[in-house]
Amino acid sequence: MGDGRGSGRSGLEDLLQAEWERHRPAVFGAAYRLLGSVADAEDVTQDVWLRAAGADLQDIGDLRAWLVTVAARRSYDILKSARFRRETYVGPWLPEPLLTGPDASQPVLVDESVGSAMLLIMEELSPPERVAFVLHDVFGLEFVRIAHVLDVSVPGARQLASRARRRVAKAKQSAPQASKAERERLLTAFRAAYEAGDLAGLIRLLHPDAVYVTDGGGKVAAARKLIHGHERVAQVMVRTGRQWRPDRIDFAEVGGELALVFHREGRVYSVDTVQITDGLIAAYRRVINPDKLMRL
């Protein structure tokens, strides 16, 4: 790690400080991909910084890999306990929205692995599979590091990543990612129909087997079960549109994808993402849990 800048402990501290901002997005990005929570990822990032500031970094050759490994180990502990929290969560659970556009407050390494669809796919993996997949397939870490995080053998870590990769590929094949242009076209039309209370227009934009998911976390009124079918979903949309009367609906990049952000009474009221199949909205996911919106 040493490069001649400073000497002794003071020089290492100066180097760490200089390098931290460069590697912080990777630390946060690893934690967010593993946990699906901005709040938890920020806590992990702070823990990693404190660990690095108090560690002997003299013999560390790859600082980025070391920092991401520390983040993964801490996230793995949280992820295992999070399974219990998910089981007791009120209603459907959705990832906490992460702004990833040019005005985002939290920089992150953006790719499809921070999109809501991918995070929900990874939510179906076991904690060890999720860690192995993120560290190897997203961050390119060696299996010896992954094995150390998971306390398994190197072949065991390799097998976990391979199994996760197959499950992710199968899920992605059943729900291929829409192009940016197609997503923008659909969301623009959807916003117009929503604002107009146009039931027929909404039905035309929704897949016949569309599903509507709302995450209120028991903090606000929200459907605690999935709503199925384009007509039923459209009816609910029209009704909630009349009840909410949003001040405005903005476009924003969330998890690397275009999303709708609803504002009401001077604050963000919901963040909505979609999954597109055959040119229609197949899944409409709405986060209204205020705890997940307070950092936006």
Side-chain angles (χ1 to χ4, degrees):
M1 176 179 164
D3 63 353
R5 296 170 55 189
S7 59
R9 183 67 184 177
S10 176
L12 289 172
E13 289 173 351
D14 291 344
L15 180 57
L16 174 61
Q17 185 66 52
E19 292 287 290
W20 173 248
E21 287 306 316
R22 186 161 70 94
H23 296 307
R24 189 181 189 280
V27 172
F28 177 87
Y32 179 74
R33 286 167 173 85
L34 290 172
L35 301 172
S37 165
V38 175
D40 286 341
E42 288 176 345
D43 288 344
V44 168
T45 302
Q46 181 64 20
D47 288 345
V48 173
W49 165 250
L50 294 174
R51 170 75 184 278
D56 183 0
L57 306 177
Q58 185 69 49
D59 297 325
I60 294 177
D62 187 339
L63 181 58
R64 177 183 180 275
W66 185 87
L67 292 169
V68 169
T69 300
V70 174
R73 188 176 297 112
R74 177 70 184 115
S75 298
Y76 182 43
D77 291 338
I78 297 173
L79 188 61
K80 288 184 290 185
S81 66
R83 288 287 165 170
F84 173 75
R85 298 209 306 270
R86 298 283 198 276
E87 291 170 1
T88 59
Y89 195 79
V90 178
W93 178 92
L94 291 172
E96 183 175 349
L98 174 69
L99 293 178
T100 52
D103 298 326
S105 59
Q106 175 59 64
V108 68
L109 303 177
V110 177
D111 58 32
E112 67 172 353
S113 63
V114 294
S116 60
M118 177 60 80
L119 289 174
L120 286 169
I121 290 173
M122 291 197 291
E123 184 70 12
E124 299 300 316
L125 304 176
S126 69
E129 288 173 341
R130 189 165 180 170
V131 170
F133 176 80
V134 169
L135 291 187
H136 183 265
D137 286 44
V138 178
F139 286 91
L141 266 61
E142 299 174 351
F143 281 113
V144 64
R145 289 184 179 273
I146 300 170
H148 184 62
V149 171
L150 298 175
D151 194 24
V152 299
S153 65
V154 171
R158 195 183 303 275
Q159 186 177 40
L160 285 167
S162 177
R163 187 161 62 230
R165 192 178 305 115
R166 288 195 300 270
R167 294 180 63 183
V168 168
K170 183 178 180 180
K172 287 172 61 178
Q173 187 175 18
S174 65
Q177 190 175 26
S179 69
K180 182 178 179 180
E182 184 176 35
R183 187 175 299 274
E184 183 175 358
R185 176 185 63 81
L186 273 173
L187 284 181
T188 298
F190 183 92
R191 182 174 70 170
Y194 187 97
E195 291 178 324
D198 181 0
L199 178 63
L202 290 173
I203 291 174
R204 286 194 297 270
L205 296 170
L206 293 164
H207 192 279
D209 298 323
V211 60
Y212 176 51
V213 188
T214 53
D215 178 348
K219 304 297 179 67
V220 293
R224 297 190 178 183
K225 293 184 179 180
L226 307 187
I227 297 173
H228 296 271
H230 62 330
E231 292 186 359
R232 178 62 177 147
V233 172
Q235 290 168 359
V236 171
M237 289 288 183
V238 170
R239 186 171 67 249
T240 56
R242 290 171 180 164
Q243 292 172 343
W244 285 8
R245 297 187 182 279
D247 301 330
R248 69 179 196 273
I249 306 173
D250 294 336
F251 291 114
E253 185 181 298
V254 176
E257 298 177 346
L258 191 66
L260 296 176
V261 179
F262 287 66
H263 298 261
R264 183 177 177 223
E265 299 176 353
R267 66 179 181 87
V268 173
Y269 189 78
S270 82
V271 173
D272 300 3
T273 57
V274 299
Q275 181 177 313
I276 297 169
T277 301
D278 299 329
L280 297 170
I281 297 174
Y284 193 96
R285 304 182 177 108
R286 170 169 280 170
V287 176
I288 57 177
N289 182 342
D291 291 346
K292 295 185 177 183
L293 302 174
M294 60 189 303
R295 278 161 286 274
L296 298 179

